[in-house]
Amino acid sequence: MRALFMALTALICSVTVTAQPIEVHVSDRATNQPTIAPEIYGQFAEHLGSCIYGGLWVGEDSEIPNEAGYRTDVLEALKALQVPVLRWPGGCFADEYHWRDGIGPKENRPRMVNSNWGGTVEDNSFGTHEFLNLCEKLGCEPYISGNVGSGSVEELAKWVEYMTAEDGPMAEERKKNGREKPWKVKYLGVGNESWGCGGSMRPEYYSDLYRRYATYCRNFDGNRLYKIASGASDYDFNWTEVLLKQIGHQMHGLSLHYYTVKGWQGSKGSATEFTTDDYYWTLGKALEIEPVIRRHIALMDSVDPEQRIGLLVDEWGTWFDVEPGTNPGHLYQQNTMRDAMVAALTFNVFHRYADRISMANIAQIANVLQSMVLTRGEEMVLTPTYHAFWLYRPHQGATYVPTQCSAPERKVTPTRSVPEVSVTASRDKEGKLHLSLVNPELEKEAKLVLSFDALQPKQVSGTMLQADAIDAYNDFGKNANRVGILPFKGAKITRTGIELTLPAASIVTLEIE
Ligand code: AHR
């Protein structure tokens, strides 16, 4: 009898505990908060698989509908995303790219073997003009990743001159190639992964090289370069430390790469077929970006307390096995609601460090790794990650608003956990507050009670990303729109704030006035 009583009490207690709403407090009175750099929502396009050729670019003579060679469908999709910055031409590819091969009449451009990525032969029909004109069409900043590994200081210096000088021999050549006015190019990456595919260098050696490149890459005619040193991969804190000590005074930004990946040897797991444990493991690994960022930032703080140097997470995202039957060197993977969760949780982390993070570029924009769009011939689908980016657009350039959330954490490995709800907030230039709320729990809806320092909400509306399954994805053919944006009508204004219920495995953005 006593045992039955104890069991009943335990059951009632557990029901009461789970029924308890999660409290979210929004510190809308907090002052001196940083701006969330729009560039945190940046993209990355590498000459890799069908990212450029087939994904962004099909050429003017293609039967696939295009605008001056750029796929019309992809262009329109990307315009809707308000891409703030696009990094190009790599990645590993950048350190073997010779820009002169990609200018001038297309029929004269030499072909090249893309040795990093599957040995594919490319015709260089997408080069400097095609990239910079694409950025103009998208209304985004270009981010040029320069060749340090196999190029020369002169080659990169001349590239900068070609793109940005009003007059002089390089400008003359550009004009002959059809572009009268120079482009504005702000972001210049001095090498990529110089510790690995970008030259297998030691940080001391790279630092010395960086000094030479940074010296001769000049500012022409009002163009102001923002020079980015090739930074560490995830846990390599020594790389960051040495670079900061040696060349901190000469860099504007320092990059960092962090992939959500099981490991570099053997299988990385399927993008679409995974267990519940795999799912939580993936989120835990994605969220480990936070302690990694924190440690790199602590090193930056120690030499640069004024926060002059920006941290650019210029490659991040999920990395799974390639889709069966595709070229292993082309890194083509599908994209499910799990990927969208990774994106949203990662944005929430980036926002927390908005005072230091000046850019982030998901890898990559089309057909490679955690992409925005997938294409097959003339078909295109928007991925769940695309929709997560779309949902978070209001945070671009908005002022960060701190929040506190009482959600418990789910332990997913001995050292990693995933919060049952993750929240971020910002205030845009018109004064509207946006809250993005992630419920990563697969089987639990989350009841939330929102309170504010001062705000008395008068109006609240919402949009949501949720699918019929966590492994749902958009495929070519009749399942092209299986995962998409839905209206969210579950938020209610109360006397003390707002109440809402987040469905299991959902991402919601609220607009509050
Ligand atoms: O994004 C794919 C590759 O990952 C990039 O080329 C390289 O920089 C990184 O290792």
Side-chain angles (χ1 to χ4, degrees), residues 44 46 48 91-92 117 192-193 257 259 315 319 363-364 369:
F44 169 32
E46 179 164 13
L48 197 179
C92 296
W117 305 116
N192 167 74
E193 297 194 350
H257 291 179
Y259 282 100
E315 285 186 31
W319 192 320
Q364 299 192 3
L369 300 176

Side-chain angles (χ1 to χ4, degrees), residues 325-342:
T326 64
N327 185 327
H330 286 184
L331 311 187
Y332 176 83
Q333 68 190 39
Q334 248 298 353
N335 193 296
T336 67
M337 254 315 275
R338 173 176 65 166
D339 295 84
M341 285 287 169
V342 167

Side-chain angles (χ1 to χ4, degrees), residues 475-504:
D475 205 357
F476 304 104
K478 60 178 187 312
N479 278 328
N481 295 309
R482 183 170 168 200
V483 186
I485 298 288
L486 306 163
F488 178 77
K489 298 205 184 324
K492 203 175 75 199
I493 295 176
T494 64
R495 214 170 32 82
T496 54
I498 291 175
E499 281 177 11
L500 67 141
T501 300
L502 290 178

Side-chain angles (χ1 to χ4, degrees), residues 202-211 242-243 246-247:
R202 292 173 301 110
E204 294 79 7
Y205 178 73
Y206 171 77
S207 298
D208 283 346
L209 262 189
Y210 178 91
R211 287 164 185 260
V242 174
L243 262 55
Q246 302 292 329
I247 50 173

